[in-house]
Amino acid sequence: MTGAIVLGRDLTGDQVLVVDAVVVGTGAGGSIALRELARAGLDVVALEEGPYLTPRDFNQREDEMIPRLFQDAGGRATEDLGIRVLQGRGVGGSTIHNTNLCKRTPDAILELWARKYGVAGASAADLQAAFETIERDLSVSEIPAALRNANNDVLRAGCEALGWRGAQLHHNRNGCQQSGFCELGCAYDAKQNALKVVLPQALEAGARVYADVEAVRIVHDGARVVGVHAVARDADGGPRGAVNVWAKVVVLAASAVGSAALARRSGLPDPNQQLGRGLRMHPGAAVAGRFDRDIRGWRGIPQSFECTEHLSHEEGSDERVWIVPAFAHPVGSAATLPGFGAAHMAAMRAYPRLAVMTAVVHDETRGEVDVDGEGNPIVRYVMSERDRGQLAKGLVACARLLLAAGALEVTIPAIPRVRVTRASELDGLDTSALRPHSVPLTAVHPMGTLRMGEDPKISVVRSTGEHHQLRGLFVADGSLFPTSIGVPPQISIYAFAQHLAPHIIERAR
Ligand SMILES: Cc1cc2nc3c(=O)[nH]c(=O)nc-3n(C[C@H](O)[C@H](O)[C@H](O)COP(=O)(O)OP(=O)(O)OC[C@H]3O[C@@H](n4cnc5c(N)ncnc54)[C@H](O)[C@@H]3O)c2cc1C
Ligand code: SF4
């Protein structure tokens, strides 16, 4: 049997589907759940609220691609507007525009989950097979040093000069043309992601994907799931018709924001008030260094080197910052660089000579996903003082790295702006203003809103991924993680979906 991609915008009239299982979302977690269910011979469909786009659509223009590829047209933010939250929307989810970094869940994190959060059967040894499958399927490899662009080389040079821990990263690309447009989707089809690799395998095994179809409510009777009510939408977002899917199994894979929002608006049983709580996001902010030579950071693979000098995965550590290069496209840079008028123009004139690093916090803050009166997600996240301290430490560390690599001047875009030309100026710097609402913060890794574990008092789903109270409802995305993981999450999400798939299949049979 060969499956198909059905476009909601082409559907006429209401639809009723009766299947074994329905997956909501087609990103890292959803694509794997869909593939494994289909490969097990089950009748399975995925509902994806976003459009079906292919490399021909990825035209490398910020103004067109950001609204098409990102949730809320790129405008999603925390409720207090302190942190911009970037997430994908479309067939392939956030794997379409992500920067392809691949790291396994650290052992220390898996041990913490077993010890403190009651997660069973998810040790490094238990997950080994799933990680191997995913890394093979997505062609994960170390990024060759020859493909390290000048921006990343600044980070390497800074680490070397300071004697700080740094390393080349791994990725899932094949045939990369080093265009530098990863965050707008790859026009060269070099990304080995859900869209290119996993979903075609799912279709080949007979799965169907409904694009432009938003899951509105999980249907249940309080003890087990029955299906999903969804709505097909036109290209302009207007409703086109209902899509009602009846199934024994529903898999939530709409991301840590989307899955939690859907769960909340569906009135799932939540006796211990755990639903949507525990949100972590890896918030981060950028620091720019001006050099006397061209860096042209927009060219080439955006991120290929990391600094882990200030990153520990031990619980309660005071070293929780991951540093990577983060060069923005021109519009993004213009929006972030401080200043107005002539001062801003001068800053943009220096754009080719800028190197930019980002400090990403392996966060402890527990945020929440709620819904407003119309069912839209509200992302509530107020950074704790400890995490704020980590952010400040990370921004200062970025400044030191840039200066050590030869930057003439370094700017931390805060209010008031911090501008230094010598490392000694960073000693004893007052960092109290380095906080949300002063520093532009972005988070691209939401996690933890439907946490796994054996204790229903502190989790939403079991270690098998199945809801504690609702038989047949599974979670297979970043919502599962009991804490922040302190590394880019896609490989962990793909691998957890792979690891949990046998439980989902068993229930759907
Ligand atoms: C700019 C950027 C760069 C990143 N770089 C990296 C990186 O280099 N390495 C890494 O490991 N991670 C990276 N990430 C994060 C990574 O891509 C995500 O963590 C991962 O894809 C999340 O997987 P998921 O399955 O939880 O959700 P997603 O991949 O986000 O998929 C969720 C899907 O569900 C759909 N959906 C939501 N609600 C509904 C609904 N009600 N009905 C139907 N469909 C719905 C969404 O449209 C979306 O397509 C990056 C993210 C961003 C934004
Ligand atoms: S840098 Fe490589 S993977 Fe990224 S968009 Fe360009 S060709 Fe694609």
Side-chain angles (χ1 to χ4, degrees), residues 24-31 47-50 70-71 86-103 183 213-216 253-259 262 265 303 322 443-446 476-479 487-494:
V24 182
T26 56
S31 63
L47 307 179
E48 168 53 59
E49 69 175 350
F70 288 88
Q71 290 289 354
L86 287 178
Q87 290 192 278
R89 185 174 184 277
V91 175
S94 303
T95 76
I96 292 176
H97 61 252
N98 77 18
T99 40
N100 295 79
L101 299 182
C102 297
K103 281 189 123 182
E183 288 188 13
V213 175
E214 179 194 3
V216 179
S255 86
V257 174
S259 291
L262 179 56
R265 64 176 179 256
Q303 292 168 326
W322 181 57
V444 299
H445 300 162
D477 63 16
S479 317
V487 295
Q490 66 164 351
I491 290 298
S492 302
I493 296 171
Y494 281 116

Side-chain angles (χ1 to χ4, degrees), residues 351-509:
Y351 183 58
R353 282 169 281 129
L354 293 183
V356 183
M357 305 297 143
T358 182
V360 177
V361 180
H362 167 33
D363 51 338
E364 296 174 345
T365 302
R366 292 166 58 88
E368 181 187 9
V369 171
D370 200 352
V371 285
D372 66 16
E374 287 164 10
N376 301 311
I378 300 172
V379 181
R380 237 170 242 137
Y381 185 100
V382 179
M383 192 181 265
S384 72
E385 241 345 86
R386 267 178 60 80
D387 281 354
R388 192 207 67 77
Q390 292 299 308
L391 173 71
K393 175 190 269 193
L395 294 173
V396 171
C398 288
R400 282 193 198 286
L401 284 160
L402 287 160
L403 289 168
L408 302 174
E409 180 187 71
V410 168
T411 304
I412 303 178
I415 307 168
R417 173 189 333 181
V418 178
R419 191 175 268 172
V420 295
T421 54
R422 289 190 314 277
S424 58
E425 293 172 69
L426 295 167
D427 302 334
L429 182 80
D430 176 8
T431 58
S432 55
L434 301 183
R435 54 172 62 250
H437 294 113
S438 157
V439 174
L441 283 162
T442 303
V444 299
H445 300 162
M447 307 161 261
T449 49
L450 303 168
R451 295 176 310 287
M452 65 194 307
E454 293 304 296
D455 181 357
K457 290 206 178 61
I458 55 165
S459 58
V460 175
V461 299
R462 299 161 205 266
S463 304
T464 58
E466 190 169 25
H467 193 268
H468 281 299
Q469 286 85 24
L470 275 188
R471 190 180 166 91
L473 178 65
F474 285 82
V475 174
D477 63 16
S479 317
L480 288 166
F481 302 161
T483 66
S484 157
I485 62 172
V487 295
Q490 66 164 351
I491 290 298
S492 302
I493 296 171
Y494 281 116
F496 264 91
Q498 182 78 32
H499 177 65
L500 299 181
H503 301 291
I504 308 175
I505 291 165
E506 190 187 323
R507 186 65 78 221
R509 281 200 198 282

